[in-house]
Amino acid sequence: MGLFFSPPSWAKTPAKAQAQLIAQQASLAPGSRSYLGLQLNMEPGWHTYWQNPGDSGLPTKIQWHNVPDGITLHPIEWPVPHYFLVGSQINYGYEKETVLLIPFEVSESLAQSTKPITLSGTASWLS
C-alpha cells in the first residue's frame, strides 16, 4: 500500500515557517511500523516551539482527520529543543529546520493492498 499526501494549503498571508508532511517510506506492509514527519522550515530570525515552550509560546499540534481503520497514529516524538532568550524569558523550540516525528502502525488485520492510503490533518504552530 502506498502513502499519499495532498499538497498543503497555506494561509493567504506570508508565513515565517513553512510545513510539509513527509513519510519515512513510500509503501508499507500490514503489521509494520513507520514514521511520518512534520518538517518545519523557518525564515532566518524566526523559530517554532517545543512541547514545553517555556515562559511563552505554544507547541505545534496536529489534528488528524479521517484516519483509515487499521492505521494507528501516535503522539509526536519531539527532538531536543534549543533555548531562546526573549528579554528575561526563556523559551524552547527550533530554528531553521526541524522534523517532528509521528510514529504510526499499520494493523496486521489491514489487508495487503496496492490502494493508496490518504491521511489528512491540520497542523498549527506559532512562529
Side-chain angles (χ1 to χ4, degrees):
M1 73 189 69
L3 291 172
F4 288 90
F5 304 105
S6 300
S9 59
W10 306 114
K12 295 189 188 322
T13 57
K16 301 301 178 189
Q18 296 292 318
Q20 177 176 298
L21 191 61
I22 57 177
Q24 179 182 18
Q25 336 179 159
S27 62
L28 300 165
S32 65
R33 180 179 171 98
S34 190
Y35 285 90
L36 297 174
L38 180 63
Q39 181 178 28
L40 295 167
N41 293 296
M42 282 67 70
E43 288 187 11
W46 291 85
H47 62 268
T48 60
Y49 295 91
W50 186 46
Q51 65 182 339
N52 174 358
D55 292 328
S56 65
L58 294 170
T60 299
K61 294 182 180 182
I62 304 172
Q63 176 65 46
W64 297 103
H65 310 290
N66 305 319
V67 176
D69 291 337
I71 301 294
T72 303
L73 293 160
H74 296 283
I76 293 171
E77 291 184 1
W78 297 85
V80 175
H82 301 282
Y83 74 91
F84 309 99
L85 290 173
V86 180
S88 62
Q89 296 183 338
I90 296 176
N91 297 316
Y92 302 99
Y94 312 99
E95 292 181 295
K96 298 179 184 171
E97 176 186 280
T98 193
V99 177
L100 305 178
L101 297 175
I102 303 110
F104 72 99
E105 297 169 0
V106 179
S107 170
E108 286 279 357
S109 64
L110 196 61
Q112 190 123 14
S113 172
T114 57
K115 294 181 181 179
I117 291 175
T118 301
L119 296 174
S120 64
T122 303
S124 61
W125 62 91
L126 180 63
S127 55

